[in-house]
PDB file of all heavy atoms in Angstrom:
ATOM      1  N   ARG A1100       6.616 -35.539  65.818  1.00 38.00           N
ATOM      2  CA  ARG A1100       5.918 -36.750  66.249  1.00 38.00           C
ATOM      3  C   ARG A1100       5.323 -37.498  65.067  1.00 38.00           C
ATOM      4  O   ARG A1100       4.896 -38.630  65.231  1.00 38.00           O
ATOM      5  CB  ARG A1100       4.804 -36.366  67.182  1.00 38.00           C
ATOM      6  CG  ARG A1100       5.299 -35.732  68.481  1.00 38.00           C
ATOM      7  CD  ARG A1100       4.217 -35.222  69.323  1.00 38.00           C
ATOM      8  NE  ARG A1100       4.688 -34.732  70.597  1.00 38.00           N
ATOM      9  CZ  ARG A1100       4.892 -35.365  71.693  1.00 38.00           C
ATOM     10  NH1 ARG A1100       4.617 -36.644  71.731  1.00 38.00           N
ATOM     11  NH2 ARG A1100       5.298 -34.821  72.792  1.00 38.00           N
ATOM     12  N   ALA A1101       5.180 -36.887  63.941  1.00 35.00           N
ATOM     13  CA  ALA A1101       4.551 -37.559  62.824  1.00 35.00           C
ATOM     14  C   ALA A1101       5.116 -37.056  61.521  1.00 35.00           C
ATOM     15  O   ALA A1101       5.740 -36.012  61.468  1.00 35.00           O
ATOM     16  CB  ALA A1101       3.050 -37.349  62.855  1.00 35.00           C
ATOM     17  N   SER A1102       4.928 -37.826  60.453  1.00 32.00           N
ATOM     18  CA  SER A1102       5.432 -37.388  59.162  1.00 32.00           C
ATOM     19  C   SER A1102       4.407 -36.426  58.509  1.00 32.00           C
ATOM     20  O   SER A1102       3.282 -36.309  58.888  1.00 32.00           O
ATOM     21  CB  SER A1102       5.680 -38.629  58.252  1.00 32.00           C
ATOM     22  OG  SER A1102       4.460 -39.312  58.119  1.00 32.00           O
ATOM     23  N   THR A1103       4.873 -35.814  57.394  1.00 32.00           N
ATOM     24  CA  THR A1103       4.013 -34.809  56.692  1.00 32.00           C
ATOM     25  C   THR A1103       2.816 -35.459  56.056  1.00 32.00           C
ATOM     26  O   THR A1103       2.872 -36.528  55.492  1.00 32.00           O
ATOM     27  CB  THR A1103       4.864 -34.135  55.635  1.00 32.00           C
ATOM     28  OG1 THR A1103       5.996 -33.516  56.241  1.00 32.00           O
ATOM     29  CG2 THR A1103       4.080 -33.100  54.893  1.00 32.00           C
ATOM     30  N   THR A1104       1.647 -34.805  56.223  1.00 32.00           N
ATOM     31  CA  THR A1104       0.452 -35.191  55.608  1.00 32.00           C
ATOM     32  C   THR A1104      -0.146 -34.023  54.849  1.00 32.00           C
ATOM     33  O   THR A1104      -0.093 -32.911  55.303  1.00 32.00           O
ATOM     34  CB  THR A1104      -0.583 -35.631  56.645  1.00 32.00           C
ATOM     35  OG1 THR A1104      -0.068 -36.705  57.454  1.00 32.00           O
ATOM     36  CG2 THR A1104      -1.926 -36.097  55.998  1.00 32.00           C
ATOM     37  N   GLU A1105      -0.605 -34.238  53.580  1.00 34.00           N
ATOM     38  CA  GLU A1105      -1.194 -33.190  52.813  1.00 34.00           C
ATOM     39  C   GLU A1105      -2.584 -33.495  52.390  1.00 34.00           C
ATOM     40  O   GLU A1105      -2.965 -34.651  52.047  1.00 34.00           O
ATOM     41  CB  GLU A1105      -0.347 -32.940  51.545  1.00 34.00           C
ATOM     42  CG  GLU A1105       1.038 -32.465  51.863  1.00 34.00           C
ATOM     43  CD  GLU A1105       1.793 -32.060  50.611  1.00 34.00           C
ATOM     44  OE1 GLU A1105       1.118 -31.672  49.599  1.00 34.00           O
ATOM     45  OE2 GLU A1105       3.016 -32.203  50.551  1.00 34.00           O
ATOM     46  N   MET A1106      -3.431 -32.468  52.420  1.00 32.00           N
ATOM     47  CA  MET A1106      -4.839 -32.580  51.924  1.00 32.00           C
ATOM     48  C   MET A1106      -5.004 -31.347  51.143  1.00 32.00           C
ATOM     49  O   MET A1106      -4.902 -30.214  51.639  1.00 32.00           O
ATOM     50  CB  MET A1106      -5.840 -32.661  53.066  1.00 32.00           C
ATOM     51  CG  MET A1106      -5.628 -33.866  54.010  1.00 32.00           C
ATOM     52  SD  MET A1106      -6.763 -33.785  55.352  1.00 32.00           S
ATOM     53  CE  MET A1106      -8.358 -33.884  54.528  1.00 32.00           C
ATOM     54  N   ALA A1107      -5.370 -31.440  49.861  1.00 31.00           N
ATOM     55  CA  ALA A1107      -5.504 -30.234  49.043  1.00 31.00           C
ATOM     56  C   ALA A1107      -6.697 -30.305  48.147  1.00 31.00           C
ATOM     57  O   ALA A1107      -7.169 -31.356  47.725  1.00 31.00           O
ATOM     58  CB  ALA A1107      -4.247 -30.061  48.193  1.00 31.00           C
ATOM     59  N   GLY A1108      -7.271 -29.127  47.841  1.00 33.00           N
ATOM     60  CA  GLY A1108      -8.377 -29.029  46.926  1.00 33.00           C
ATOM     61  C   GLY A1108      -8.681 -27.578  46.750  1.00 33.00           C
ATOM     62  O   GLY A1108      -8.009 -26.690  47.288  1.00 33.00           O
ATOM     63  N   THR A1109      -9.691 -27.230  45.975  1.00 33.00           N
ATOM     64  CA  THR A1109      -9.991 -25.845  45.770  1.00 33.00           C
ATOM     65  C   THR A1109     -11.486 -25.672  45.799  1.00 33.00           C
ATOM     66  O   THR A1109     -12.229 -26.658  45.573  1.00 33.00           O
ATOM     67  CB  THR A1109      -9.528 -25.309  44.367  1.00 33.00           C
ATOM     68  OG1 THR A1109     -10.129 -26.133  43.349  1.00 33.00           O
ATOM     69  CG2 THR A1109      -7.980 -25.440  44.232  1.00 33.00           C
ATOM     70  N   THR A1110     -11.902 -24.473  46.087  1.00 35.00           N
ATOM     71  CA  THR A1110     -13.372 -24.192  46.171  1.00 35.00           C
ATOM     72  C   THR A1110     -13.587 -22.721  45.962  1.00 35.00           C
ATOM     73  O   THR A1110     -12.720 -21.906  46.290  1.00 35.00           O
ATOM     74  CB  THR A1110     -13.971 -24.614  47.523  1.00 35.00           C
ATOM     75  OG1 THR A1110     -15.392 -24.393  47.484  1.00 35.00           O
ATOM     76  CG2 THR A1110     -13.378 -23.811  48.658  1.00 35.00           C
ATOM     77  N   GLU A1111     -14.680 -22.391  45.327  1.00 38.00           N
ATOM     78  CA  GLU A1111     -15.071 -20.980  45.198  1.00 38.00           C
ATOM     79  C   GLU A1111     -15.719 -20.563  46.473  1.00 38.00           C
ATOM     80  O   GLU A1111     -16.368 -21.297  47.166  1.00 38.00           O
ATOM     81  CB  GLU A1111     -16.063 -20.821  44.015  1.00 38.00           C
ATOM     82  CG  GLU A1111     -15.438 -21.121  42.649  1.00 38.00           C
ATOM     83  CD  GLU A1111     -14.306 -20.176  42.278  1.00 38.00           C
ATOM     84  OE1 GLU A1111     -14.460 -18.953  42.654  1.00 38.00           O
ATOM     85  OE2 GLU A1111     -13.345 -20.610  41.700  1.00 38.00           O
ATOM     86  N   HIS A1112     -15.601 -19.262  46.807  1.00 37.00           N
ATOM     87  CA  HIS A1112     -16.226 -18.796  48.019  1.00 37.00           C
ATOM     88  C   HIS A1112     -16.566 -17.291  47.927  1.00 37.00           C
ATOM     89  O   HIS A1112     -16.019 -16.574  47.067  1.00 37.00           O
ATOM     90  CB  HIS A1112     -15.298 -19.013  49.193  1.00 37.00           C
ATOM     91  CG  HIS A1112     -14.034 -18.221  49.137  1.00 37.00           C
ATOM     92  ND1 HIS A1112     -12.876 -18.646  48.514  1.00 37.00           N
ATOM     93  CD2 HIS A1112     -13.707 -16.978  49.584  1.00 37.00           C
ATOM     94  CE1 HIS A1112     -11.951 -17.734  48.538  1.00 37.00           C
ATOM     95  NE2 HIS A1112     -12.409 -16.712  49.188  1.00 37.00           N
ATOM     96  N   SER A1113     -17.497 -16.866  48.781  1.00 37.00           N
ATOM     97  CA  SER A1113     -17.806 -15.425  48.867  1.00 37.00           C
ATOM     98  C   SER A1113     -17.467 -15.014  50.311  1.00 37.00           C
ATOM     99  O   SER A1113     -17.542 -15.818  51.212  1.00 37.00           O
ATOM    100  CB  SER A1113     -19.254 -15.195  48.567  1.00 37.00           C
ATOM    101  OG  SER A1113     -20.120 -15.917  49.437  1.00 37.00           O
ATOM    102  N   HIS A1114     -17.201 -13.750  50.481  1.00 37.00           N
ATOM    103  CA  HIS A1114     -16.783 -13.281  51.803  1.00 37.00           C
ATOM    104  C   HIS A1114     -17.956 -13.048  52.709  1.00 37.00           C
ATOM    105  O   HIS A1114     -19.080 -12.897  52.278  1.00 37.00           O
ATOM    106  CB  HIS A1114     -15.931 -11.999  51.708  1.00 37.00           C
ATOM    107  CG  HIS A1114     -14.591 -12.229  51.054  1.00 37.00           C
ATOM    108  ND1 HIS A1114     -13.702 -13.140  51.575  1.00 37.00           N
ATOM    109  CD2 HIS A1114     -14.004 -11.685  49.974  1.00 37.00           C
ATOM    110  CE1 HIS A1114     -12.612 -13.139  50.884  1.00 37.00           C
ATOM    111  NE2 HIS A1114     -12.754 -12.281  49.853  1.00 37.00           N
ATOM    112  N   VAL A1115     -17.695 -13.019  53.988  1.00 36.00           N
ATOM    113  CA  VAL A1115     -18.711 -12.802  54.969  1.00 36.00           C
ATOM    114  C   VAL A1115     -19.374 -11.422  54.768  1.00 36.00           C
ATOM    115  O   VAL A1115     -18.682 -10.482  54.377  1.00 36.00           O
ATOM    116  CB  VAL A1115     -18.124 -12.853  56.419  1.00 36.00           C
ATOM    117  CG1 VAL A1115     -19.187 -12.628  57.426  1.00 36.00           C
ATOM    118  CG2 VAL A1115     -17.455 -14.213  56.605  1.00 36.00           C
ATOM    119  N   THR A1116     -20.666 -11.335  54.956  1.00 36.00           N
ATOM    120  CA  THR A1116     -21.352 -10.081  54.765  1.00 36.00           C
ATOM    121  C   THR A1116     -21.507  -9.349  56.077  1.00 36.00           C
ATOM    122  O   THR A1116     -21.328  -9.891  57.167  1.00 36.00           O
ATOM    123  CB  THR A1116     -22.764 -10.286  54.165  1.00 36.00           C
ATOM    124  OG1 THR A1116     -23.486 -11.182  54.999  1.00 36.00           O
ATOM    125  CG2 THR A1116     -22.632 -10.934  52.777  1.00 36.00           C
ATOM    126  N   SER A1117     -21.903  -8.087  56.000  1.00 38.00           N
ATOM    127  CA  SER A1117     -22.195  -7.269  57.177  1.00 38.00           C
ATOM    128  C   SER A1117     -21.040  -7.148  58.144  1.00 38.00           C
ATOM    129  O   SER A1117     -21.182  -7.306  59.360  1.00 38.00           O
ATOM    130  CB  SER A1117     -23.470  -7.805  57.924  1.00 38.00           C
ATOM    131  OG  SER A1117     -24.547  -7.835  57.089  1.00 38.00           O
ATOM    132  N   VAL A1118     -19.840  -6.947  57.572  1.00 37.00           N
ATOM    133  CA  VAL A1118     -18.634  -6.723  58.409  1.00 37.00           C
ATOM    134  C   VAL A1118     -17.826  -5.591  57.829  1.00 37.00           C
ATOM    135  O   VAL A1118     -18.063  -5.115  56.703  1.00 37.00           O
ATOM    136  CB  VAL A1118     -17.766  -8.001  58.433  1.00 37.00           C
ATOM    137  CG1 VAL A1118     -18.457  -9.139  59.052  1.00 37.00           C
ATOM    138  CG2 VAL A1118     -17.355  -8.369  56.988  1.00 37.00           C
ATOM    139  N   PRO A1119     -16.894  -5.041  58.546  1.00 40.00           N
ATOM    140  CA  PRO A1119     -16.071  -3.982  58.016  1.00 40.00           C
ATOM    141  C   PRO A1119     -15.324  -4.509  56.819  1.00 40.00           C
ATOM    142  O   PRO A1119     -14.890  -5.644  56.782  1.00 40.00           O
ATOM    143  CB  PRO A1119     -15.043  -3.691  59.174  1.00 40.00           C
ATOM    144  CG  PRO A1119     -15.754  -4.137  60.424  1.00 40.00           C
ATOM    145  CD  PRO A1119     -16.547  -5.312  60.001  1.00 40.00           C
ATOM    146  N   THR A1120     -15.154  -3.687  55.772  1.00 38.00           N
ATOM    147  CA  THR A1120     -14.507  -4.062  54.535  1.00 38.00           C
ATOM    148  C   THR A1120     -13.281  -3.234  54.212  1.00 38.00           C
ATOM    149  O   THR A1120     -12.430  -3.654  53.402  1.00 38.00           O
ATOM    150  CB  THR A1120     -15.517  -4.029  53.363  1.00 38.00           C
ATOM    151  OG1 THR A1120     -15.986  -2.676  53.275  1.00 38.00           O
ATOM    152  CG2 THR A1120     -16.596  -5.000  53.556  1.00 38.00           C
ATOM    153  N   ALA A1121     -13.093  -2.057  54.821  1.00 38.00           N
ATOM    154  CA  ALA A1121     -12.044  -1.181  54.505  1.00 38.00           C
ATOM    155  C   ALA A1121     -10.805  -1.592  55.261  1.00 38.00           C
ATOM    156  O   ALA A1121     -10.834  -1.759  56.420  1.00 38.00           O
ATOM    157  CB  ALA A1121     -12.367   0.251  54.772  1.00 38.00           C
ATOM    158  N   THR A1122      -9.674  -1.754  54.538  1.00 38.00           N
ATOM    159  CA  THR A1122      -8.397  -2.020  55.191  1.00 38.00           C
ATOM    160  C   THR A1122      -7.469  -0.857  54.920  1.00 38.00           C
ATOM    161  O   THR A1122      -7.178  -0.543  53.780  1.00 38.00           O
ATOM    162  CB  THR A1122      -7.790  -3.354  54.636  1.00 38.00           C
ATOM    163  OG1 THR A1122      -8.722  -4.413  54.883  1.00 38.00           O
ATOM    164  CG2 THR A1122      -6.490  -3.635  55.341  1.00 38.00           C
ATOM    165  N   VAL A1123      -6.950  -0.227  55.968  1.00 40.00           N
ATOM    166  CA  VAL A1123      -6.083   0.886  55.812  1.00 40.00           C
ATOM    167  C   VAL A1123      -4.698   0.503  56.297  1.00 40.00           C
ATOM    168  O   VAL A1123      -4.519  -0.457  57.057  1.00 40.00           O
ATOM    169  CB  VAL A1123      -6.616   2.097  56.537  1.00 40.00           C
ATOM    170  CG1 VAL A1123      -7.959   2.537  56.017  1.00 40.00           C
ATOM    171  CG2 VAL A1123      -6.682   1.848  58.056  1.00 40.00           C
ATOM    172  N   ALA A1124      -3.729   1.313  55.921  1.00 42.00           N
ATOM    173  CA  ALA A1124      -2.349   1.022  56.315  1.00 42.00           C
ATOM    174  C   ALA A1124      -2.158   1.219  57.783  1.00 42.00           C
ATOM    175  O   ALA A1124      -2.824   2.014  58.414  1.00 42.00           O
ATOM    176  CB  ALA A1124      -1.383   1.907  55.529  1.00 42.00           C
ATOM    177  N   PRO A1125      -1.205   0.466  58.386  1.00 51.00           N
ATOM    178  CA  PRO A1125      -0.865   0.679  59.794  1.00 51.00           C
ATOM    179  C   PRO A1125      -0.533   2.152  60.050  1.00 51.00           C
ATOM    180  O   PRO A1125       0.067   2.794  59.219  1.00 51.00           O
ATOM    181  CB  PRO A1125       0.335  -0.239  60.021  1.00 51.00           C
ATOM    182  CG  PRO A1125       0.210  -1.288  58.978  1.00 51.00           C
ATOM    183  CD  PRO A1125      -0.398  -0.605  57.800  1.00 51.00           C
ATOM    184  N   SER A1126      -0.945   2.652  61.238  1.00 51.00           N
ATOM    185  CA  SER A1126      -0.857   4.100  61.464  1.00 51.00           C
ATOM    186  C   SER A1126       0.226   4.437  62.489  1.00 51.00           C
ATOM    187  O   SER A1126       0.096   5.315  63.299  1.00 51.00           O
ATOM    188  CB  SER A1126      -2.215   4.539  62.002  1.00 51.00           C
ATOM    189  OG  SER A1126      -2.555   3.778  63.167  1.00 51.00           O
ATOM    190  N   VAL A1127       1.358   3.762  62.429  1.00 54.00           N
ATOM    191  CA  VAL A1127       2.491   4.059  63.340  1.00 54.00           C
ATOM    192  C   VAL A1127       2.965   5.459  63.137  1.00 54.00           C
ATOM    193  O   VAL A1127       3.711   5.966  63.960  1.00 54.00           O
ATOM    194  CB  VAL A1127       3.593   3.022  63.146  1.00 54.00           C
ATOM    195  CG1 VAL A1127       3.227   1.678  63.624  1.00 54.00           C
ATOM    196  CG2 VAL A1127       4.136   2.983  61.736  1.00 54.00           C
TER     197      VAL A1127
END
């Protein structure tokens, strides 16, 4: 319905606190 539109930039960030942080492999 429309042509491509781009908006780009960069920013520094820190992750959310007080959340789970460990990522483990899928356990199939």
Side-chain angles (χ1 to χ4, degrees):
R1100 296 174 177 271
S1102 59
T1103 301
T1104 303
E1105 296 187 28
M1106 300 175 62
T1109 59
T1110 183
E1111 294 296 323
H1112 64 272
S1113 59
H1114 290 305
V1115 180
T1116 58
S1117 300
V1118 295
T1120 56
T1122 301
V1123 299
S1126 55
V1127 292

